[in-house]
Amino acid sequence: MELWYTENHTDNVRFSAKIKKHIYQQESEFQKIDVFDTYEFGKLLTIDGLVMVTEKDEFIYHDMITHVAMGTNPNIKSVLVIGGGDGGTVRELTRYKTIEKIDMVEIDKVVVDVSRKYLQFTASKLDDDRVSLYFEDGLKFVENKNNVYDLIIVDSTDPIGPGEGLFTKEFYTNCHNALTENGILINQKESPYYSHNAREMTRSHKKIKEIFKVAETYQYNIPTYPSGHWLFGFSSKGLHPVKDFNPNKWNELGLKTKYYNTDLHVGAFALPTYVRERLEDE
Ligand code: SAM
C-alpha cells in the first residue's frame, strides 16, 4: 500500500509527496501538528495541514529569511524571532559571532518540543547561550517595547489561526517601535501567484508601507510551498537592502551558504512586473 501526504494548494490544485512513515501527530492547544518521513523531501513538518519545513528545502527559506538582513547590516547585535518554532532561523542567526542576543517568541511550545525530537537539522542551535525562548503570543510580546532590537524576523504561519495577528497594522507598528534606529523587520509576505496568497501579500505590503520609511519585497523559490514562488518583506527605518549593501563585507565573513549569495541578495529584489503591480494594487 502506498501512503501519500496531500495538501490543497487551491481548490483545484494539489501537492502530494509519497511518505515512508507518519511519525507524529498531535492537536496542540493552538493547532494540528504532524511530522512525516517522505521519500523526496526527508522529514516534513506540517501545521494545520500546511507544509512548514522539509529537510530537503528548508535551507532556501532559512537562508533568505536571515542573511539578507544580516548582509545589509552586519552590525546587528540584538535579534527577535517571532514564531520559528522549528529553530531553522535561530540556527542561521547563531552563525554570526557578532550577534549577542537572540530572543525567540513562539506561541506553541509543542512545535519546539517536536522539532527538538524529530527535526534536529533545524532545531540544533536552540540551546545556544545567546538564545532565550519565550512561549507566548508574539503579538503581545512586542507591545510596549521601545528601541530594543536591531532585527525582528517574523517567521510565522499564514494569516489564519494564531498567525493572523502577525499580519495586522497594530503588530507592524509595535515592531517599528521595538526596533532600534537602524532596525530591520523581515516578515513572511506570502506568495504572488495564487489569488488567496496574493491578497494577503498586498494587504501586508499596504500596511507596512504606511509605517516604515523603507518597505521592500524580495523573492525566493521553494518547491514545497504553493506555486514555489514566495516572498519576504524587508522594512526598515532607513537602511536600504540594495543601496546600503556591501557585498565584500558579507563575503569576508566566510559563511558557507547553499542558496544565499551576494549576487542573489541584489537580484532577489528585482521583481516580475505582475508582482510589482499586484503589490501596489489597492
Ligand atoms: N517556515 C514556515 C512557513 O512559513 O511555512 C514557518 C515556520 S514556523 C513552524 C511558524 C511558527 O509560527 C509556528 O510554530 C507557530 O506556532 C508560530 N506562530 C504562529 N502564530 C504565532 C504568534 N502569534 N506568536 C508566536 N508564534 C506564532
Side-chain angles (χ1 to χ4, degrees):
M1 186 180 64
E2 286 187 356
L3 293 175
W4 289 78
Y5 165 76
T6 296
E7 177 178 325
N8 282 8
H9 281 183
T10 75
D11 288 345
N12 308 307
V13 178
R14 286 178 178 168
F15 164 82
S16 287
K18 194 172 165 185
I19 62 174
K20 289 183 191 167
K21 203 175 171 191
H22 190 176
I23 298 175
Y24 175 90
Q25 177 168 43
Q26 193 182 322
E27 187 93 38
S28 76
E29 189 187 335
F30 301 98
Q31 52 213 351
K32 184 170 166 282
I33 303 162
D34 290 272
V35 181
F36 301 91
D37 192 5
T38 71
Y39 285 94
E40 183 63 37
F41 299 105
K43 302 278 188 324
L44 183 155
L45 168 76
T46 67
I47 291 185
D48 288 339
L50 301 173
V51 171
M52 293 287 118
V53 166
T54 87
E55 195 165 357
K56 190 170 180 181
D57 67 4
E58 59 83 14
F59 71 97
I60 300 170
Y61 182 91
H62 293 122
D63 270 18
M64 291 304 274
I65 205 169
T66 308
H67 301 304
V68 173
M70 291 307 300
T72 305
N73 181 11
N75 297 320
I76 285 170
K77 293 194 168 37
S78 163
V79 186
L80 172 64
V81 177
I82 297 177
D86 56 81
T89 299
V90 164
R91 181 197 67 206
E92 287 307 303
L93 289 167
T94 58
R95 301 179 69 200
Y96 292 86
K97 294 194 179 77
T98 43
I99 293 180
E100 294 169 358
K101 164 190 156 85
I102 303 167
D103 289 344
M104 185 177 109
V105 53
E106 162 63 61
I107 202 166
D108 194 345
K109 184 171 180 296
V110 179
V111 178
V112 173
D113 293 343
V114 167
S115 302
R116 281 195 151 123
K117 187 155 183 205
Y118 299 109
L119 311 176
Q120 258 307 304
F121 53 92
T122 47
S124 56
K125 297 290 178 194
L126 287 172
D127 294 321
D128 186 283
D129 285 348
R130 296 166 291 174
V131 177
S132 305
L133 300 181
Y134 300 87
F135 296 112
E136 49 189 284
D137 190 339
L139 197 65
K140 287 252 160 2
F141 190 87
V142 287
E143 271 176 15
N144 309 316
K145 289 223 166 28
N146 275 299
N147 200 25
V148 185
Y149 297 106
D150 302 319
L151 170 63
I152 298 178
I153 297 179
V154 188
D155 184 1
S156 65
T157 44
D158 292 336
I160 33 170
E164 197 174 344
L166 304 179
F167 288 76
T168 58
K169 198 169 168 190
E170 181 198 356
F171 172 69
Y172 297 135
T173 306
N174 287 333
C175 287
H176 187 274
N177 295 338
L179 285 169
T180 54
E181 199 188 336
N182 278 328
I184 296 171
L185 171 73
I186 301 292
N187 72 308
Q188 222 265 77
K189 216 163 179 178
E190 297 289 299
S191 167
Y193 194 73
Y194 293 125
S195 58
H196 59 291
N197 300 127
R199 213 170 20 249
E200 297 304 337
M201 166 196 84
T202 310
R203 283 174 59 195
S204 157
H205 184 66
K206 187 167 177 254
K207 290 173 199 159
I208 289 179
K209 233 175 45 175
E210 286 172 19
I211 300 160
F212 284 85
K213 193 166 162 200
V214 174
E216 299 290 335
T217 303
Y218 62 101
Q219 59 186 350
Y220 58 102
N221 288 84
I222 186 153
T224 55
Y225 288 2
S227 87
H229 185 188
W230 278 69
L231 307 171
F232 287 125
F234 177 110
S235 323
S236 84
K237 296 186 177 183
L239 279 180
H240 191 276
V242 177
K243 291 179 203 147
D244 293 310
F245 176 50
N246 181 343
N248 294 337
K249 248 185 157 170
W250 192 83
N251 284 323
E252 278 163 17
L253 295 173
L255 293 177
K256 198 165 156 20
T257 44
K258 223 160 111 186
Y259 191 82
Y260 176 84
N261 58 55
T262 50
D263 292 336
L264 187 74
H265 177 123
V266 176
F269 288 88
L271 300 175
T273 306
Y274 87 95
V275 181
R276 276 195 209 160
E277 287 174 357
R278 186 75 209 243
L279 274 169
E280 300 304 332
D281 192 0
E282 305 291 319

